[in-house]
Amino acid sequence: MNAAGLLLAAGASSRMGKPKALLPFGGETVIERGVRNFHAAGIERVVVVLGCWEKEIRRACPDLFSGKVVAALNPQPKLGMLSSVQCGLRAAAKLGVEAVLLALLDQPFVSPLVYRQTLEGCKTKPVSIPQYKGHRGHPIAMSMRLAEEVLAMNPERQALRDFVRAEPGRVQRVPVEENAILRDMDAPAEYHKELRRLQQKHGESDAP
């Protein structure tokens, strides 16, 4: 499927106390790992939605936005995730793709296999969501045929979950074997827990 990845990285990282995107994670930054996950899943074109820490991210990762990785700026990141998704969709529309895979910055530990499985589900229904033991998580795949519907939503009053719940019949649930789809790392304790998991799994380590 001709798809683009959308990495949502516009948040303020208020609970973390520093730019989450630039934290070390397995020999690279969180945002670099996020982009690499798409590439490892066979998704070459990636839109990274920036916001609160745009300047810092561009300064720290000058080579990230080149070739098939582009940045889209969310001028109002405080409006929440839906506003970032809308910014990403506008950028993806210019790429001529059939679908997008929405991934969260604070889930760099979700495997490329889950990315591929979720995107595959989008061939059956226009929205595809992974689930672990009946619980839904991220990333989310979506046909670009639904882009206008999402773009018409009001981020001040609505959230992406409203779109997902609007028509359950168009959602493909994809069973996966990773509880990683349910985890995130908003706070320092969660981040350090994920670093320990990473080290135990791959022998990778960081010293933040």
Side-chain angles (χ1 to χ4, degrees):
M1 176 174 284
N2 180 20
L6 296 189
L7 183 61
L8 307 180
S13 302
S14 54
R15 289 180 59 195
M16 191 67 72
K18 61 181 70 174
K20 194 184 307 180
L22 301 180
L23 292 173
F25 197 84
E28 57 196 331
T29 62
V30 167
I31 196 168
E32 289 169 333
R33 175 63 67 102
V35 169
R36 186 158 69 85
N37 284 340
F38 283 116
H39 292 166
I43 302 171
E44 294 186 2
R45 287 173 289 187
V46 180
V47 176
V48 181
V49 183
L50 301 177
C52 294
W53 298 98
E54 179 204 8
K55 293 179 181 179
E56 291 81 359
I57 291 171
R58 287 185 181 276
R59 188 182 308 119
C61 306
D63 300 324
L64 184 63
F65 304 103
S66 60
K68 295 185 177 181
V69 180
V70 299
L73 178 62
N74 181 352
Q76 295 181 291
K78 291 183 179 180
L79 291 179
M81 186 171 72
L82 177 59
S83 66
S84 289
V85 172
Q86 291 172 328
C87 290
L89 286 176
R90 293 186 187 99
K94 299 176 183 178
L95 303 178
V97 294
E98 301 172 82
V100 291
L101 185 69
L102 316 174
L104 306 181
L105 177 71
D106 56 6
Q107 290 187 319
F109 39 76
V110 174
S111 77
L113 173 61
V114 168
Y115 282 35
R116 290 193 294 269
Q117 291 173 322
T118 305
L119 191 58
E120 187 70 18
C122 206
K123 293 180 179 179
T124 304
K125 294 185 178 181
V127 180
S128 176
I129 299 177
Q131 66 174 21
Y132 176 78
K133 295 184 177 180
H135 298 284
R136 297 184 302 182
H138 289 84
I140 297 175
M142 187 187 80
S143 168
M144 285 298 289
R145 298 195 309 271
L146 300 179
E148 289 302 321
E149 182 178 335
V150 178
L151 291 174
M153 296 176 70
N154 186 336
E156 294 187 34
R157 300 197 306 266
Q158 296 174 286
L160 186 63
R161 62 177 173 271
D162 297 320
F163 162 77
V164 173
R165 295 171 179 172
E167 294 186 35
R170 67 185 179 189
V171 178
Q172 177 70 32
R173 294 194 178 198
V174 181
V176 299
E177 298 300 319
E178 295 184 25
N179 67 3
I181 68 168
L182 309 177
R183 305 195 311 261
D184 58 29
M185 48 186 208
D186 283 336
E190 295 165 341
Y191 166 60
H192 289 291
K193 184 181 291 186
E194 293 301 338
L195 285 183
R196 289 193 294 271
R197 283 195 177 102
L198 184 69
Q199 188 172 10
Q200 292 167 0
K201 184 176 181 181
H202 300 296
E204 301 180 51
S205 63
D206 287 297

